[in-house]
Each structure stands twice: as C-alpha cells, then as structure tokens.
Coordinates of all heavy atoms in Angstrom, one line a residue:
M1 N -48.9 -64.7 10.1 CA -50.0 -64.4 10.9 C -50.1 -65.4 12.0 O -50.2 -66.6 11.7 CB -51.2 -64.4 10.0 CG -52.5 -64.2 10.7 SD -54.0 -64.1 9.7 CE -54.1 -65.8 9.2
R2 N -50.2 -64.9 13.2 CA -50.4 -65.8 14.4 C -51.9 -66.1 14.5 O -52.7 -65.3 14.2 CB -50.0 -65.1 15.6 CG -48.8 -65.7 16.3 CD -48.4 -64.9 17.5 NE -49.0 -65.5 18.6 CZ -48.7 -65.1 19.9 NH1 -47.9 -64.2 20.1 NH2 -49.3 -65.7 20.9
S3 N -52.2 -67.3 14.9 CA -53.6 -67.6 15.0 C -53.9 -68.1 16.4 O -53.1 -68.8 17.0 CB -53.9 -68.7 13.9 OG -54.7 -69.7 14.3
F4 N -55.1 -67.8 16.9 CA -55.5 -68.3 18.2 C -56.7 -69.2 17.9 O -57.4 -69.1 17.0 CB -55.9 -67.1 19.0 CG -54.8 -66.2 19.4 CD1 -54.5 -65.1 18.7 CD2 -53.9 -66.5 20.5 CE1 -53.4 -64.3 19.0 CE2 -52.9 -65.7 20.8 CZ -52.6 -64.6 20.0
P5 N -56.9 -70.2 18.9 CA -58.0 -71.0 18.7 C -59.3 -70.3 18.7 O -59.5 -69.3 19.4 CB -57.9 -72.0 19.8 CG -56.9 -71.5 20.8 CD -56.1 -70.4 20.1
G6 N -60.3 -70.7 17.9 CA -61.6 -70.1 17.9 C -62.6 -71.1 18.5 O -62.2 -72.2 18.9
L7 N -63.8 -70.7 18.5 CA -64.9 -71.5 19.0 C -65.6 -72.1 17.8 O -65.7 -71.5 16.7 CB -65.9 -70.7 19.8 CG -65.4 -70.1 21.1 CD1 -66.4 -69.2 21.7 CD2 -65.0 -71.2 22.1
P8 N -66.2 -73.3 18.0 CA -67.0 -73.9 16.9 C -68.2 -73.1 16.7 O -68.7 -72.3 17.6 CB -67.3 -75.3 17.4 CG -66.9 -75.4 18.8 CD -66.1 -74.2 19.1
P9 N -68.8 -73.1 15.5 CA -70.0 -72.3 15.2 C -71.1 -72.4 16.2 O -71.8 -71.4 16.5 CB -70.5 -72.8 13.8 CG -69.2 -73.3 13.2 CD -68.4 -73.9 14.3
G10 N -71.3 -73.6 16.8 CA -72.4 -73.7 17.8 C -72.0 -73.3 19.2 O -72.8 -73.5 20.1
G11 N -70.8 -72.8 19.4 CA -70.3 -72.4 20.7 C -69.4 -73.4 21.3 O -69.2 -74.5 20.7
G12 N -68.8 -73.1 22.4 CA -67.8 -74.0 23.0 C -68.2 -74.3 24.4 O -69.2 -73.8 25.0
D13 N -67.5 -75.2 25.1 CA -67.8 -75.4 26.5 C -67.3 -74.2 27.3 O -66.5 -73.4 26.8 CB -67.1 -76.7 27.0 CG -65.6 -76.7 26.9 OD1 -65.0 -75.7 27.5 OD2 -65.0 -77.6 26.4
P14 N -67.7 -74.1 28.6 CA -67.4 -72.9 29.4 C -65.9 -72.6 29.5 O -65.4 -71.5 29.5 CB -68.0 -73.2 30.7 CG -69.1 -74.1 30.4 CD -68.6 -75.0 29.3
R15 N -65.1 -73.7 29.5 CA -63.6 -73.5 29.6 C -63.1 -72.8 28.4 O -62.2 -71.9 28.4 CB -62.9 -74.8 29.9 CG -61.4 -74.6 29.9 CD -60.7 -75.9 30.5 NE -60.7 -75.7 31.9 CZ -60.6 -76.6 32.8 NH1 -60.5 -77.9 32.4 NH2 -60.6 -76.4 34.1
Q16 N -63.5 -73.3 27.2 CA -63.1 -72.7 25.9 C -63.5 -71.2 25.8 O -62.7 -70.4 25.4 CB -63.7 -73.5 24.7 CG -63.1 -74.8 24.5 CD -63.9 -75.6 23.4 OE1 -65.1 -75.6 23.5 NE2 -63.2 -76.2 22.5
V17 N -64.7 -70.9 26.2 CA -65.2 -69.6 26.1 C -64.4 -68.7 27.1 O -64.0 -67.6 26.7 CB -66.7 -69.5 26.5 CG1 -67.2 -68.1 26.6 CG2 -67.5 -70.3 25.4
A18 N -64.2 -69.2 28.3 CA -63.4 -68.4 29.3 C -62.0 -68.1 28.8 O -61.5 -67.0 28.9 CB -63.4 -69.1 30.6
A19 N -61.3 -69.1 28.2 CA -60.0 -68.9 27.7 C -59.9 -67.8 26.6 O -59.1 -66.9 26.6 CB -59.4 -70.2 27.1
I20 N -60.9 -67.8 25.7 CA -60.9 -66.8 24.6 C -61.3 -65.4 25.2 O -60.6 -64.4 24.9 CB -61.9 -67.2 23.5 CG1 -61.2 -68.4 22.8 CG2 -62.2 -66.1 22.6 CD1 -62.1 -69.0 21.7
V21 N -62.2 -65.3 26.1 CA -62.6 -64.1 26.7 C -61.4 -63.5 27.5 O -61.1 -62.3 27.4 CB -63.9 -64.2 27.6 CG1 -64.1 -63.0 28.4 CG2 -65.1 -64.5 26.7
N22 N -60.7 -64.3 28.2 CA -59.6 -63.9 29.0 C -58.5 -63.3 28.0 O -57.8 -62.3 28.3 CB -59.0 -65.0 29.9 CG -59.9 -65.3 31.0 OD1 -60.7 -64.4 31.5 ND2 -59.8 -66.5 31.6
R23 N -58.2 -64.0 26.9 CA -57.2 -63.5 25.9 C -57.7 -62.1 25.4 O -56.8 -61.2 25.2 CB -57.0 -64.5 24.8 CG -56.0 -65.5 25.1 CD -55.5 -66.3 23.9 NE -56.6 -67.0 23.2 CZ -57.0 -68.2 23.5 NH1 -56.4 -68.9 24.5 NH2 -58.0 -68.8 22.8
I24 N -58.9 -62.0 25.1 CA -59.4 -60.7 24.6 C -59.2 -59.6 25.6 O -58.8 -58.5 25.3 CB -60.9 -60.8 24.2 CG1 -61.1 -61.7 23.0 CG2 -61.5 -59.4 24.0 CD1 -62.5 -62.0 22.6
G25 N -59.5 -59.9 26.9 CA -59.3 -59.0 28.0 C -57.8 -58.5 28.1 O -57.5 -57.5 28.7
L26 N -56.9 -59.4 27.7 CA -55.5 -59.0 27.7 C -55.0 -58.4 26.5 O -53.8 -58.1 26.3 CB -54.6 -60.3 28.0 CG -54.9 -61.0 29.4 CD1 -54.2 -62.3 29.4 CD2 -54.3 -60.1 30.5
G27 N -55.9 -58.1 25.6 CA -55.6 -57.4 24.3 C -55.1 -58.3 23.2 O -54.7 -57.9 22.2
K28 N -55.3 -59.6 23.4 CA -54.9 -60.6 22.3 C -56.1 -60.8 21.4 O -56.9 -61.7 21.5 CB -54.5 -61.9 23.0 CG -53.4 -61.7 24.1 CD -52.2 -61.1 23.5 CE -51.1 -61.0 24.5 NZ -50.0 -60.1 24.2
L29 N -56.2 -59.9 20.5 CA -57.4 -59.8 19.6 C -57.3 -60.6 18.3 O -58.2 -60.7 17.5 CB -57.8 -58.4 19.3 CG -58.1 -57.5 20.5 CD1 -58.4 -56.1 20.0 CD2 -59.3 -58.1 21.3
N30 N -56.1 -61.1 18.0 CA -55.9 -61.9 16.8 C -56.3 -61.1 15.5 O -56.9 -61.6 14.6 CB -56.6 -63.2 16.8 CG -56.2 -64.2 15.7 OD1 -55.1 -64.1 15.2 ND2 -57.1 -65.0 15.2
C31 N -55.9 -59.8 15.5 CA -56.2 -59.0 14.4 C -55.0 -58.2 13.9 O -55.1 -57.2 13.3 CB -57.3 -58.0 14.7 SG -56.9 -56.8 16.0
T32 N -53.8 -58.7 14.2 CA -52.6 -58.0 13.9 C -51.7 -58.7 12.9 O -51.8 -60.0 12.8 CB -51.8 -57.6 15.1 OG1 -51.3 -58.8 15.8 CG2 -52.6 -56.8 16.1
G33 N -50.8 -58.0 12.3 CA -49.8 -58.6 11.4 C -48.7 -57.6 11.1 O -48.6 -56.5 11.7
E34 N -47.7 -58.0 10.3 CA -46.6 -57.2 9.9 C -46.5 -57.2 8.4 O -46.8 -58.2 7.7 CB -45.3 -57.6 10.5 CG -45.2 -57.4 12.0 CD -43.9 -57.6 12.6 OE1 -42.9 -57.7 11.8 OE2 -43.8 -57.7 13.8
V35 N -46.0 -56.0 7.9 CA -45.8 -55.9 6.4 C -44.5 -55.0 6.2 O -44.3 -54.1 7.0 CB -47.0 -55.3 5.7 CG1 -47.3 -53.9 6.2 CG2 -46.8 -55.2 4.2
V36 N -43.8 -55.4 5.2 CA -42.7 -54.5 4.7 C -43.1 -54.0 3.4 O -43.5 -54.7 2.5 CB -41.4 -55.3 4.6 CG1 -40.2 -54.5 4.0 CG2 -40.9 -55.9 5.9
L37 N -43.0 -52.6 3.2 CA -43.4 -52.0 2.0 C -42.5 -52.4 0.9 O -41.3 -52.4 1.1 CB -43.5 -50.5 2.1 CG -44.4 -49.9 3.2 CD1 -44.4 -48.4 3.1 CD2 -45.8 -50.5 3.0
D38 N -43.0 -52.7 -0.3 CA -42.2 -53.1 -1.4 C -41.3 -52.0 -1.9 O -41.8 -50.9 -2.2 CB -43.1 -53.6 -2.6 CG -43.8 -54.9 -2.3 OD1 -43.4 -55.7 -1.5 OD2 -44.9 -55.1 -2.9
P39 N -40.0 -52.2 -1.9 CA -39.1 -51.1 -2.4 C -39.3 -50.8 -3.9 O -39.6 -51.8 -4.6 CB -37.7 -51.6 -2.1 CG -37.8 -53.0 -1.8 CD -39.2 -53.3 -1.5
N40 N -39.1 -49.6 -4.3 CA -39.2 -49.2 -5.7 C -40.5 -49.5 -6.3 O -40.6 -49.7 -7.5 CB -38.0 -49.8 -6.5 CG -36.7 -49.4 -6.0 OD1 -36.4 -48.3 -5.7 ND2 -35.8 -50.4 -5.8
Q41 N -41.6 -49.5 -5.5 CA -42.9 -49.7 -6.0 C -43.8 -48.7 -5.4 O -43.6 -48.3 -4.2 CB -43.4 -51.1 -5.7 CG -42.6 -52.2 -6.3 CD -42.7 -52.3 -7.8 OE1 -43.8 -52.0 -8.4 NE2 -41.6 -52.5 -8.5
P42 N -44.9 -48.3 -6.0 CA -45.8 -47.3 -5.4 C -46.9 -47.9 -4.6 O -47.7 -47.1 -4.0 CB -46.4 -46.6 -6.6 CG -46.4 -47.6 -7.7 CD -45.2 -48.5 -7.4
A43 N -46.9 -49.2 -4.5 CA -48.0 -49.8 -3.7 C -47.5 -51.2 -3.2 O -46.6 -51.8 -3.8 CB -49.3 -50.0 -4.5
T44 N -48.1 -51.7 -2.1 CA -47.8 -53.0 -1.6 C -49.2 -53.7 -1.3 O -50.0 -53.1 -0.6 CB -47.0 -52.9 -0.3 OG1 -45.7 -52.3 -0.6 CG2 -46.7 -54.3 0.3
T45 N -49.4 -54.9 -1.8 CA -50.6 -55.6 -1.5 C -50.3 -56.6 -0.3 O -49.3 -57.3 -0.3 CB -51.0 -56.5 -2.7 OG1 -51.3 -55.5 -3.8 CG2 -52.3 -57.3 -2.4
V46 N -51.2 -56.5 0.7 CA -51.2 -57.4 1.8 C -52.3 -58.4 1.7 O -53.5 -58.0 1.6 CB -51.3 -56.6 3.1 CG1 -51.3 -57.6 4.3 CG2 -50.2 -55.6 3.2
T47 N -52.0 -59.7 1.7 CA -53.0 -60.7 1.7 C -53.2 -61.2 3.1 O -52.3 -61.7 3.8 CB -52.6 -61.9 0.8 OG1 -52.3 -61.4 -0.5 CG2 -53.6 -63.0 0.7
D48 N -54.4 -61.1 3.6 CA -54.8 -61.5 5.0 C -56.2 -61.8 5.0 O -57.1 -61.0 4.7 CB -54.5 -60.3 5.9 CG -54.6 -60.7 7.4 OD1 -55.5 -61.4 7.8 OD2 -53.7 -60.3 8.2
P49 N -56.6 -63.1 5.3 CA -58.0 -63.5 5.2 C -58.9 -62.8 6.2 O -60.1 -62.8 6.0 CB -57.9 -65.0 5.5 CG -56.6 -65.2 6.2 CD -55.7 -64.1 5.7
R50 N -58.3 -62.1 7.2 CA -59.2 -61.4 8.1 C -59.7 -60.0 7.6 O -60.6 -59.4 8.1 CB -58.4 -61.2 9.4 CG -58.0 -62.5 10.1 CD -57.0 -62.3 11.2 NE -55.8 -61.7 10.6 CZ -54.7 -61.4 11.4 NH1 -54.7 -61.6 12.7 NH2 -53.7 -60.9 10.8
A51 N -59.1 -59.6 6.5 CA -59.4 -58.3 5.9 C -60.7 -58.4 5.1 O -61.0 -59.5 4.5 CB -58.3 -57.8 5.0
T52 N -61.5 -57.4 5.2 CA -62.8 -57.3 4.4 C -62.8 -56.0 3.6 O -62.0 -55.1 3.9 CB -64.0 -57.4 5.2 OG1 -64.2 -56.3 6.0 CG2 -64.0 -58.7 6.1
A53 N -63.8 -55.8 2.8 CA -63.9 -54.6 2.0 C -64.3 -53.4 2.9 O -64.1 -52.3 2.4 CB -65.0 -54.8 0.9
T54 N -64.7 -53.7 4.1 CA -65.1 -52.6 5.0 C -64.2 -52.5 6.2 O -64.5 -51.7 7.1 CB -66.5 -52.7 5.4 OG1 -66.7 -54.0 6.1 CG2 -67.5 -52.6 4.3
S55 N -63.1 -53.2 6.3 CA -62.2 -53.2 7.4 C -61.5 -51.9 7.6 O -61.2 -51.2 6.6 CB -61.1 -54.3 7.3 OG -61.7 -55.6 7.4
M56 N -61.2 -51.5 8.8 CA -60.4 -50.4 9.1 C -59.0 -50.9 9.4 O -58.8 -51.9 10.1 CB -60.9 -49.7 10.4 CG -60.0 -48.5 10.9 SD -60.1 -47.1 9.8 CE -61.8 -46.6 10.0
I57 N -58.0 -50.4 8.7 CA -56.6 -50.8 8.8 C -55.8 -49.8 9.5 O -55.8 -48.6 9.0 CB -56.0 -51.1 7.4 CG1 -56.9 -51.9 6.5 CG2 -54.6 -51.7 7.5 CD1 -57.2 -53.3 7.0
L58 N -55.1 -50.1 10.5 CA -54.3 -49.2 11.3 C -52.8 -49.6 11.3 O -52.5 -50.8 11.3 CB -54.8 -49.2 12.8 CG -56.3 -49.0 13.0 CD1 -56.6 -49.2 14.4 CD2 -56.7 -47.6 12.5
F59 N -51.9 -48.7 11.2 CA -50.5 -49.0 11.1 C -49.7 -48.4 12.2 O -50.0 -47.4 12.8 CB -49.9 -48.3 9.8 CG -50.5 -48.9 8.5 CD1 -51.5 -48.2 7.9 CD2 -50.2 -50.2 8.1 CE1 -52.1 -48.7 6.7 CE2 -50.7 -50.7 6.9 CZ -51.7 -50.0 6.3
M60 N -48.5 -49.1 12.6 CA -47.6 -48.7 13.5 C -46.2 -48.9 12.9 O -45.8 -50.1 12.6 CB -47.7 -49.5 14.8 CG -46.6 -49.1 15.9 SD -46.8 -50.1 17.4 CE -46.0 -51.6 16.9
P61 N -45.4 -47.9 12.7 CA -44.0 -48.1 12.2 C -43.1 -48.9 13.1 O -43.2 -48.7 14.3 CB -43.5 -46.7 12.0 CG -44.4 -45.8 12.8 CD -45.6 -46.5 13.0
L62 N -42.4 -49.8 12.6 CA -41.5 -50.7 13.4 C -40.0 -50.4 13.1 O -39.2 -51.0 13.8 CB -41.8 -52.1 13.2 CG -43.2 -52.6 13.5 CD1 -43.4 -54.0 13.1 CD2 -43.5 -52.4 15.0
T63 N -39.7 -49.5 12.2 CA -38.3 -49.1 11.9 C -38.3 -47.6 11.6 O -39.4 -47.0 11.4 CB -37.8 -49.8 10.6 OG1 -38.6 -49.4 9.5 CG2 -37.8 -51.3 10.7
A64 N -37.1 -47.0 11.7 CA -37.0 -45.6 11.4 C -37.4 -45.2 10.0 O -38.1 -44.2 9.8 CB -35.5 -45.1 11.7
S65 N -37.1 -46.1 9.1 CA -37.6 -45.8 7.7 C -39.1 -45.9 7.6 O -39.7 -45.1 6.8 CB -37.0 -46.9 6.7 OG -35.6 -46.8 6.7
A66 N -39.7 -46.7 8.3 CA -41.2 -46.8 8.3 C -41.8 -45.5 9.0 O -42.8 -45.0 8.5 CB -41.7 -48.0 9.0
A67 N -41.2 -45.1 10.0 CA -41.6 -43.9 10.7 C -41.5 -42.7 9.8 O -42.4 -41.8 9.7 CB -40.9 -43.6 12.0
A68 N -40.4 -42.6 9.0 CA -40.3 -41.5 8.1 C -41.3 -41.6 6.9 O -41.8 -40.5 6.5 CB -38.8 -41.5 7.5
E69 N -41.6 -42.8 6.5 CA -42.6 -42.9 5.4 C -44.0 -42.5 5.9 O -44.7 -41.7 5.3 CB -42.7 -44.4 5.0 CG -43.8 -44.7 4.0 CD -43.4 -44.2 2.6 OE1 -42.2 -44.1 2.3 OE2 -44.3 -43.9 1.8
Q70 N -44.3 -42.8 7.1 CA -45.6 -42.4 7.7 C -45.7 -40.9 8.0 O -46.6 -40.3 7.7 CB -45.9 -43.2 9.0 CG -47.3 -43.1 9.5 CD -47.6 -44.0 10.7 OE1 -46.8 -44.0 11.6 NE2 -48.7 -44.7 10.6
A71 N -44.6 -40.4 8.5 CA -44.5 -38.9 8.8 C -44.6 -38.1 7.5 O -45.1 -37.0 7.5 CB -43.2 -38.6 9.5
A72 N -44.2 -38.6 6.4 CA -44.3 -37.9 5.1 C -45.7 -37.7 4.6 O -46.0 -36.9 3.8 CB -43.4 -38.6 4.0
G73 N -46.6 -38.5 5.2 CA -48.0 -38.4 4.9 C -48.4 -38.9 3.5 O -49.5 -38.6 3.0
R74 N -47.6 -39.8 3.0 CA -47.9 -40.3 1.6 C -48.3 -41.7 1.6 O -48.5 -42.4 0.6 CB -46.7 -40.1 0.7 CG -46.4 -38.6 0.5 CD -45.3 -38.5 -0.6 NE -45.1 -37.1 -0.8 CZ -43.9 -36.5 -0.4 NH1 -43.0 -37.1 0.1 NH2 -43.8 -35.2 -0.6
M75 N -48.6 -42.3 2.8 CA -49.0 -43.7 2.9 C -50.5 -43.8 3.2 O -50.9 -43.0 4.1 CB -48.2 -44.3 4.1 CG -48.3 -45.8 4.2 SD -47.3 -46.4 5.5 CE -48.4 -47.3 6.4
H76 N -51.2 -44.6 2.5 CA -52.6 -44.7 2.7 C -53.1 -46.1 2.2 O -52.4 -46.8 1.5 CB -53.4 -43.6 2.0 CG -53.2 -43.7 0.5 ND1 -52.0 -43.4 -0.1 CD2 -54.0 -44.1 -0.5 CE1 -52.2 -43.5 -1.4 NE2 -53.4 -44.0 -1.7
V77 N -54.2 -46.5 2.7 CA -54.9 -47.7 2.2 C -55.6 -47.3 0.9 O -56.6 -46.6 1.0 CB -55.8 -48.4 3.2 CG1 -56.5 -49.6 2.6 CG2 -55.0 -48.8 4.5
S78 N -55.2 -47.8 -0.2 CA -55.8 -47.4 -1.5 C -56.9 -48.4 -1.9 O -57.7 -48.0 -2.8 CB -54.8 -47.3 -2.5 OG -54.1 -48.5 -2.8
A79 N -57.0 -49.6 -1.4 CA -58.0 -50.5 -1.8 C -58.2 -51.5 -0.7 O -57.2 -51.9 0.0 CB -57.7 -51.2 -3.1
R80 N -59.4 -52.0 -0.5 CA -59.7 -53.1 0.5 C -60.7 -54.0 -0.2 O -61.7 -53.6 -0.8 CB -60.4 -52.5 1.7 CG -59.6 -51.5 2.5 CD -60.4 -50.9 3.6 NE -61.4 -50.0 3.0 CZ -62.3 -49.3 3.7 NH1 -62.5 -49.5 5.0 NH2 -63.2 -48.5 3.1
T81 N -60.4 -55.3 -0.1 CA -61.3 -56.3 -0.6 C -61.3 -57.5 0.5 O -60.5 -57.5 1.4 CB -60.8 -56.9 -1.9 OG1 -59.5 -57.5 -1.7 CG2 -60.6 -55.9 -3.0
N82 N -62.2 -58.4 0.2 CA -62.2 -59.5 1.1 C -61.0 -60.4 0.9 O -60.7 -60.9 -0.1 CB -63.5 -60.4 0.9 CG -64.7 -59.7 1.3 OD1 -64.7 -58.8 2.1 ND2 -65.9 -60.1 0.7
G83 N -60.1 -60.4 2.0 CA -58.9 -61.2 1.9 C -57.6 -60.4 1.6 O -56.5 -61.0 1.7
S84 N -57.7 -59.1 1.4 CA -56.5 -58.3 1.1 C -56.8 -56.8 1.2 O -57.9 -56.4 1.2 CB -55.9 -58.7 -0.3 OG -56.7 -58.2 -1.3
F85 N -55.7 -56.0 1.2 CA -55.7 -54.6 1.1 C -54.5 -54.1 0.5 O -53.5 -54.8 0.4 CB -56.0 -53.9 2.5 CG -55.0 -54.2 3.6 CD1 -53.9 -53.4 3.8 CD2 -55.2 -55.3 4.4 CE1 -53.0 -53.6 4.8 CE2 -54.2 -55.6 5.4 CZ -53.1 -54.7 5.6
V86 N -54.5 -52.9 -0.1 CA -53.4 -52.3 -0.8 C -53.0 -51.1 -0.1 O -53.8 -50.2 0.2 CB -53.7 -52.0 -2.3 CG1 -52.6 -51.4 -3.0 CG2 -54.2 -53.3 -3.0
I87 N -51.7 -51.0 0.1 CA -51.1 -49.8 0.7 C -50.4 -48.9 -0.3 O -49.5 -49.4 -1.0 CB -50.1 -50.1 1.8 CG1 -50.6 -51.1 2.8 CG2 -49.5 -48.9 2.5 CD1 -49.6 -51.7 3.7
G88 N -50.9 -47.7 -0.6 CA -50.2 -46.8 -1.5 C -49.1 -46.1 -0.7 O -49.3 -45.7 0.5
H89 N -48.0 -45.9 -1.3 CA -46.8 -45.3 -0.6 C -45.8 -44.7 -1.6 O -46.0 -44.9 -2.9 CB -46.2 -46.3 0.3 CG -45.8 -47.6 -0.4 ND1 -44.7 -47.7 -1.2 CD2 -46.4 -48.8 -0.3 CE1 -44.6 -49.0 -1.6 NE2 -45.7 -49.7 -1.1
T90 N -44.8 -44.1 -1.2 CA -43.7 -43.6 -2.1 C -43.0 -44.8 -2.7 O -42.9 -45.9 -2.1 CB -42.8 -42.7 -1.4 OG1 -42.1 -43.4 -0.3 CG2 -43.5 -41.4 -0.8
D91 N -42.4 -44.6 -3.8 CA -41.6 -45.6 -4.5 C -40.1 -45.6 -4.0 O -39.2 -45.7 -4.9 CB -41.8 -45.6 -6.0 CG -41.3 -44.4 -6.6 OD1 -40.9 -43.4 -5.9 OD2 -41.4 -44.3 -7.8
S92 N -39.9 -45.4 -2.8 CA -38.6 -45.3 -2.2 C -37.8 -46.7 -2.3 O -38.4 -47.7 -2.4 CB -38.7 -45.0 -0.7 OG -37.4 -45.1 -0.1
A93 N -36.5 -46.6 -2.4 CA -35.6 -47.7 -2.5 C -35.4 -48.3 -1.1 O -34.8 -49.4 -1.0 CB -34.3 -47.4 -3.1
E94 N -35.8 -47.7 0.0 CA -35.6 -48.2 1.3 C -36.2 -49.6 1.5 O -37.4 -49.8 1.3 CB -36.3 -47.2 2.4 CG -35.7 -45.9 2.5 CD -34.3 -46.0 3.2 OE1 -34.0 -46.9 4.0 OE2 -33.5 -45.1 3.0
P95 N -35.4 -50.6 1.9 CA -35.8 -51.9 2.0 C -36.4 -52.3 3.3 O -37.0 -53.4 3.5 CB -34.6 -52.7 1.7 CG -33.5 -51.9 2.3 CD -33.9 -50.5 2.0
D96 N -36.4 -51.4 4.3 CA -36.8 -51.8 5.7 C -37.9 -51.0 6.2 O -38.0 -50.7 7.4 CB -35.6 -51.7 6.6 CG -35.1 -50.3 6.9 OD1 -35.4 -49.4 6.0 OD2 -34.5 -50.1 7.9
R97 N -38.9 -50.6 5.4 CA -40.1 -49.9 5.8 C -41.1 -50.9 6.4 O -42.0 -51.3 5.7 CB -40.6 -49.0 4.7 CG -39.7 -47.9 4.3 CD -40.2 -47.2 3.1 NE -40.3 -48.0 1.9 CZ -41.0 -47.7 0.8 NH1 -41.6 -46.6 0.7 NH2 -41.0 -48.6 -0.2
R98 N -40.8 -51.3 7.6 CA -41.6 -52.4 8.2 C -42.7 -51.8 9.2 O -42.3 -51.0 10.0 CB -40.7 -53.4 9.0 CG -41.4 -54.6 9.5 CD -40.4 -55.7 9.9 NE -39.5 -55.2 10.9 CZ -39.6 -55.5 12.2 NH1 -40.6 -56.2 12.7 NH2 -38.7 -55.0 13.0
F99 N -43.9 -52.3 9.0 CA -45.0 -51.8 9.8 C -45.7 -53.0 10.5 O -45.8 -54.0 9.9 CB -46.1 -51.1 9.0 CG -45.6 -49.8 8.5 CD1 -44.9 -49.7 7.3 CD2 -45.9 -48.6 9.1 CE1 -44.5 -48.4 6.8 CE2 -45.5 -47.4 8.7 CZ -44.8 -47.3 7.5
G100 N -46.3 -52.7 11.7 CA -47.3 -53.6 12.2 C -48.6 -53.0 11.8 O -48.7 -51.8 11.6
Y101 N -49.6 -53.9 11.6 CA -50.9 -53.4 11.3 C -52.0 -54.1 12.1 O -51.8 -55.2 12.6 CB -51.2 -53.6 9.8 CG -51.3 -55.0 9.3 CD1 -52.5 -55.7 9.3 CD2 -50.2 -55.6 8.7 CE1 -52.5 -57.0 8.8 CE2 -50.2 -56.8 8.2 CZ -51.4 -57.6 8.3 OH -51.5 -58.9 7.8
A102 N -53.1 -53.5 12.3 CA -54.3 -54.1 12.9 C -55.5 -54.0 12.0 O -55.6 -52.9 11.3 CB -54.6 -53.4 14.3
I103 N -56.2 -55.0 11.9 CA -57.5 -55.0 11.1 C -58.6 -55.0 12.1 O -58.8 -55.9 12.9 CB -57.5 -56.3 10.2 CG1 -56.3 -56.4 9.3 CG2 -58.8 -56.3 9.5 CD1 -56.2 -57.7 8.6
I104 N -59.5 -54.0 12.0 CA -60.7 -53.9 12.8 C -61.9 -54.0 11.9 O -62.0 -53.2 10.9 CB -60.7 -52.5 13.6 CG1 -59.4 -52.3 14.3 CG2 -61.9 -52.4 14.5 CD1 -59.1 -53.3 15.4
G105 N -62.8 -54.9 12.2 CA -64.0 -55.0 11.4 C -63.9 -55.9 10.2 O -62.9 -56.2 9.6

C-alpha cells in the first residue's frame, strides 16, 4: 500500500494543505491497492487499515484471468470490517487473478 503524507489533527500550514489538495485534484486519493485472489480457495481476505465496515470496495481486473473471473459474475465482497474485507470468488486454480481495488468511505 502506497502512502501519502497526511495532515496533523490540528491542520497543517498552507503549503502542506495546498500539496495535499493538489494531489487530490490529480486523482491521487490514497485509497487504492492490489490483490491476487487465492487459488483453490473460495475467498480471499484483504487486510487494509483504510477499510471500514461501511466502505465501498471497487475492483479493476489487471490480468486476463482476473477479467474472466469478474465477467463470470461470481466475485463479490462477502464481508467488510474495520481493517479488512473478504472477496468471495470461484475456487479456480488460476494463480494470476490480480485486481486493483479502491476503497471509498
């Protein structure tokens, strides 16, 4: 997980605030990651401290095997907790079902 500098709880100086706002304007939201689905398993757990029990999780396939998994319509987020989420999927032996994900909220 890539991390970007944040602001202290009391706020930052104008230069710090401008740098963060400018990154946000360029789409650098610090809410993305990558996951490879566990082969021969019906679920994969992703540990990410940015996830919460109410987060929206979005996926983008990064390999042909991942695109096929998503197109089959059998992939879903089966659980969300503070710090992790579980992806339900087929128990395929494909080792390269790699996805990018975004956590919103």
